[in-house]
Amino acid sequence: MTDALYRSSSIGESLMGALKLLQDDGKISDVLAMRVIQEFDAAILRALDKRVTAKSSFKGQLDTYRYCDNVWDFELRDVILKLSPTQGSSKRDELELAAKHMRLILVDSKVVTAAAGQHAAG
Amino acid sequence: MSRAGGEKAGRPGVGEATLGVYQGVIDDVVANVKADFVQEGVDEAVLDELRSLWESHIVKLGVLGKANDPSGKQSKEGVRAADALTLSEDASVLAARPTKDQSPGPGAAALDHGDRKRPIIETGDTPPTKLVKTEAIQTPSIPQWDGAAEEAAGVSDPSSSVPAGAEAEAEDNLDDVELDDDELNEDDDLEDVDAVGSDSEDQLLGQFDKVHRSKARWKVNLRHCILQLDGRDYLLHKATGEFNF
């Protein structure tokens, strides 16, 4: 389930933590928790699509690459990132960041879109 | 944790926007599951509790950046909060915030539900122990040569010749002493480098439109990314990367 990608983000992990607490207390059932997580998957996808406008370009050294099940997994080194809040707002609004080591976990956008479409229809 | 980019007073649009977007996601999710909660017969109070737990976790992680003071030091890039973002209102709230507190505790309280215009979470500097994902790093125990000598009953020096009767015992003690050097035990395992906690390692989660390689040159086109860098989250609509293998 590639739309589960964002579950390991901070917002996703926070949700999982919160749900676990409630589950341990017996306040919500596992089924309900699962339902919340699925809703989160859809919501984060929508948000990233519609509410976010920032773009970025980055360069670095590639140490490791993996591709399996439509998922690319890169490990980069000495990365420089340039982030700008919206398309074409460049110039002074740009933020430059650097990372010594960064991991990219990427799923195929076509697969995600297809899965999202299925969910919507089903 | 050093930030190569330096402490920029205007953690700009990109960083601040995450708060608004995350808030939107939380609202979305809560609204959409309300029906399910009702169907299961679960009290709405539990839903509220879920929301507040969720929000406080996010705040605790400190990924939302801190309130910045625009009148404070400006970086030479003169980054400004881009009004193009959805959060122009939050930008003005930011300007109003005078100081930043250290602990995330008060920050958690700042997230009241039902209040759209929330004050920006004040999380201060990224706390060193920000994440609860306890990575208990196993440090190998350091062999103590003098200690072993003391423990060896009746043997003053492990390396010297010992009476036959006490030899077995000395051997055991020697083993204890040398265990960490010669034998492989669980303490010797290297912390699995790949298994670093997802929150302490800089990572980007997203989708790729295209991944292209030409000899050692890789180019990727990405979309819908959540970038976690130095303990902060940045959301990206599109991203392009070039790397050399």
Side-chain angles (χ1 to χ4, degrees), chain A residues 6 10 13 54 62 103 109, chain B residues 133 204 209 224 233 237 244:
Chain A
Y6 300 104
S10 356
E13 297 263 353
L62 181 63
R103 186 145 180 217
S109 57
Chain B
K133 283 301 138 83
L204 181 147
D209 283 332
H224 302 345
D233 273 14
H237 191 242
N244 269 317

Side-chain angles (χ1 to χ4, degrees), chain A residues 5-6 8-11 13-15 17-19 21-22 27-29 31-32 35-36 39-40 43-49 51-67 70-72 74-76 81 83-86 92-99 101-110 112, chain B residues 4-5 8 11-14 21-22 24-26 28-29 32-33 36-37 40 42 46 49-50 53-54 57-58 61 63 76-80 82 84-86 133 194 198-199 201-209 211 217-218 220 222-230 233-245:
Chain A
L5 167 70
Y6 300 104
S8 41
S9 65
S10 356
I11 185 173
E13 297 263 353
S14 312
L15 175 60
L19 283 172
L21 280 174
L22 292 178
K27 292 190 181 154
I28 56 173
S29 65
V31 172
L32 192 52
R35 181 75 196 87
V36 178
E39 194 53 51
F40 164 76
I44 190 75
L45 273 176
R46 281 196 300 270
L48 284 169
D49 190 18
R51 290 188 226 213
V52 177
T53 54
K55 31 181 320 273
S56 152
S57 64
F58 55 96
K59 293 189 197 246
Q61 284 294 112
L62 181 63
D63 275 347
T64 315
Y65 60 87
R66 286 183 203 94
Y67 182 63
N70 290 313
V71 180
W72 275 105
F74 294 111
E75 285 175 35
L76 305 181
L81 301 102
L83 285 74
S84 50
T86 50
R92 312 233 110 204
D93 290 329
E94 234 178 48
L95 174 66
E96 192 168 311
L97 300 165
H101 184 88
M102 189 160 102
R103 186 145 180 217
L104 311 190
I105 301 178
L106 311 165
V107 297
D108 195 340
S109 57
K110 293 194 272 297
V112 178
Chain B
K8 302 206 162 78
R11 252 322 154 168
V14 186
V21 177
Y22 280 1
V25 170
I26 296 180
D28 249 357
V29 173
N32 288 336
V33 297
D36 292 280
F37 268 64
E40 287 254 333
V42 178
V46 179
E49 192 179 347
L50 170 63
L53 274 173
W54 190 2
H57 276 208
I58 294 183
L61 291 178
V63 294
K76 33 184 186 163
E77 289 183 3
V79 179
R80 309 169 193 297
L85 298 176
T86 55
K133 283 301 138 83
D194 292 326
S198 60
D199 291 316
E201 178 190 73
D202 295 337
Q203 71 172 4
L204 181 147
L205 301 170
Q207 304 171 26
F208 65 88
D209 283 332
V211 171
R217 190 131 183 91
W218 292 70
V220 298
L222 312 177
R223 66 164 67 189
H224 302 345
C225 303
I226 298 186
L227 167 67
Q228 266 163 252
L229 192 64
D230 277 348
D233 273 14
Y234 303 90
L235 303 181
L236 305 167
H237 191 242
K238 273 203 172 345
T240 50
E242 289 180 17
F243 353 110
N244 269 317
F245 180 59

Side-chain angles (χ1 to χ4, degrees), chain B residues 87-144:
Chain B
L87 292 191
S88 46
E89 53 187 52
D90 283 310
S92 53
V93 171
L94 275 177
R97 275 292 191 191
T99 53
K100 31 188 194 218
D101 294 326
Q102 283 308 311
S103 69
L111 263 184
D112 302 320
H113 17 117
D115 182 4
R116 272 280 151 188
K117 288 205 173 80
R118 298 156 206 275
I120 297 293
I121 311 306
E122 298 180 324
T123 52
D125 294 325
T126 319
T129 58
K130 63 177 174 313
L131 221 272
V132 205
K133 283 301 138 83
T134 48
E135 302 266 28
I137 309 249
Q138 299 267 352
T139 52
S141 50
I142 302 168
Q144 283 187 333

